[in-house]
């Protein structure tokens, strides 16, 4: 059986992410139509072989797969508003910044105009588009994901989280939360060390090495939390209480705000007070998880 032909792809919006996405499709040999409100932003892509659409309707009708790396939910609706009739029978991949509820609303809106819908969250920077370092999350139409997975993988490794259009955004926000906590911890540590003469630039390589090792510990924490099996953990609640107390005391002594770590101290203190001081650090999960969610 011969490999299916590469379908034409449309990219709406040539901003920070839209341009490298369109470039990736061109580099992979896809017929690529581009549209941007400021038409001149397409000049370099046209020189590489892209077709510049004069209108959104022209762009949407150019192919079966429409990629929308626009700013936000409102920008998607406003941009596609004049082209709703052209959406019928096509697949819309929304890569705009969104919320779970906005994703669900857009899925309903797109479906009402006869289009399949995939919501996407871009866990990538412009320079990591079309590389293994970036990855995109998707949810919505499973048929659309299956049909166009090869095309989605042109942009970045693709991960599908089910038919609920909001699921990709939920996972996106969860990943952002992980990153925010790590970045806030780094900035607190950098401020602490700056107070004793070590610059952030000197500290950053050590922090990166430490975080790399911490990332290797995540599967063990996940196993313990998923199974509620905390008795054998090597890093206990009370051990980490002592560590966080020392960090907070040192910060205060050096005039550094402790806001970043006070919430974790409160969780560890509660876990210990409840009689779980010798349980694994991962048992903090029990204070954070929704009590309405049954154990699997």
């Amino acid at each position: 059986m011969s490999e299916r032909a590469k379908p034409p792809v449309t990219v709406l919006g040539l901003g920070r992410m839209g341009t490298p996405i369109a470039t990736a499709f061109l580099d992979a040999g896809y017929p690529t139509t581009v549209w941007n409100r400021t038409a001149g932003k397409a000049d370099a892509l046209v020189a590489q072989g892209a077709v510049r659409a004069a209108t959104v309707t022209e762009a949407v009708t150019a192919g079966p797969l429409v990629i929308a790396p626009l700013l936000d939910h409102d920008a998607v609706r406003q941009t596609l508003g004049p082209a709703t009739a052209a959406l019928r029978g096509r697949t819309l991949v929304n890569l705009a910044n969104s919320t779970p509820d906005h994703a669900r609303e857009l899925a309903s809106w797109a479906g009402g105009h006869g289009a399949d819908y995939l919501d996407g969250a871009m866990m990538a920077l412009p320079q990591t588009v079309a590389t293994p370092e970036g990855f995109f999350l998707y949810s919505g139409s499973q048929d659309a994901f299956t049909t166009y997975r090869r095309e989605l993988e042109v942009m970045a490794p693709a991960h599908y989280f089910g038919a609920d259009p909001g699921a990709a955004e939920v996972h996106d926000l969860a990943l952002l939360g992980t990153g925010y906590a790590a970045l806030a911890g780094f900035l607190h540590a950098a401020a602490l060390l700056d107070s004793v003469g070590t610059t952030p630039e000197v500290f950053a390589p050590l922090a990166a090495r430490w975080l790399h090792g911490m990332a290797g510990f995540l599967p063990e924490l996940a196993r313990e939390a998923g199974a509620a099996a905390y008795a054998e953990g090597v890093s206990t609640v009370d051990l980490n209480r002592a560590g966080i107390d020392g960090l907070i005391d040192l910060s205060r002594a050096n005039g550094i705000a402790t806001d970043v770590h006070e919430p974790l101290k409160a969780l560890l203190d509660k876990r210990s007070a409840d009689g779980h001081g010798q349980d694994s650090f991962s048992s903090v999960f029990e204070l954070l998880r929704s009590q309405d969610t049954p154990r699997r």
Side-chain angles (χ1 to χ4, degrees), residues 27-295:
D27 289 345
Y30 281 83
T32 304
T33 297
V34 296
W35 174 90
N36 193 74
R37 194 173 303 279
T38 303
K41 281 194 173 183
D43 289 349
L45 292 165
V46 170
Q48 296 173 54
V51 174
R52 187 197 330 253
T55 66
V56 175
T57 298
E58 180 184 330
V60 170
T61 56
L65 182 61
V66 179
I67 311 290
L70 296 164
L71 177 63
D72 56 23
H73 164 269
D74 290 339
V76 176
R77 287 290 298 268
Q78 291 168 9
T79 297
L80 287 169
T84 52
L87 285 172
R88 183 165 300 278
R90 306 182 195 282
T91 292
L92 172 62
V93 180
N94 171 33
L95 297 178
N97 292 321
S98 191
T99 67
D101 285 344
H102 280 155
R104 295 176 187 119
E105 188 274 329
L106 268 175
S108 177
W109 177 83
H113 293 290
D116 271 350
Y117 179 89
L118 276 174
D119 193 80
M122 300 181 286
M123 311 308 296
L125 298 170
Q127 62 268 29
T128 62
V129 169
T131 76
E133 283 70 38
F135 59 95
F136 288 8
L137 315 178
Y138 296 98
S139 59
S141 169
Q142 184 168 11
D143 285 345
F145 182 81
T146 301
T147 299
Y148 291 111
R149 179 160 192 169
R150 184 179 70 171
E151 285 67 45
L152 300 175
E153 296 271 359
V154 167
M155 296 184 285
H159 302 270
Y160 180 69
F161 288 98
D164 173 11
E169 298 299 337
V170 173
H171 286 77
D172 170 43
L173 291 170
L175 286 167
L176 287 176
T178 302
Y180 288 146
L183 292 175
F186 166 74
L187 292 173
H188 173 272
L192 175 61
L193 290 176
D194 186 64
S195 72
V196 296
T198 298
T199 66
E201 293 86 352
V202 169
F203 176 57
L206 292 174
R209 184 174 178 182
W210 176 246
L211 288 174
H212 180 77
M214 294 282 280
F217 190 43
L218 292 181
E220 178 63 15
L221 292 181
R223 183 194 65 77
E224 292 173 357
Y230 305 120
E232 303 300 325
V234 297
S235 183
T236 68
V237 167
D238 281 345
L239 179 66
N240 285 282
R241 280 182 70 220
I244 203 77
D245 284 346
L247 178 57
I248 287 173
D249 288 347
L250 180 62
S251 298
R252 286 174 177 159
N254 285 275
I256 306 302
T258 61
D259 308 59
V260 169
H261 297 296
E262 291 285 357
L264 176 57
K265 172 177 167 53
L267 291 168
L268 292 170
D269 285 348
K270 177 169 175 48
R271 193 67 183 158
S272 184
D274 289 344
H276 298 287
Q278 294 308 304
D279 282 356
S280 171
F281 175 84
S282 62
S283 70
V284 169
F285 177 70
E286 296 298 327
L287 298 178
L288 299 172
R289 66 185 294 270
S290 170
Q291 300 307 304
D292 295 330
T293 303
R295 278 288 180 182

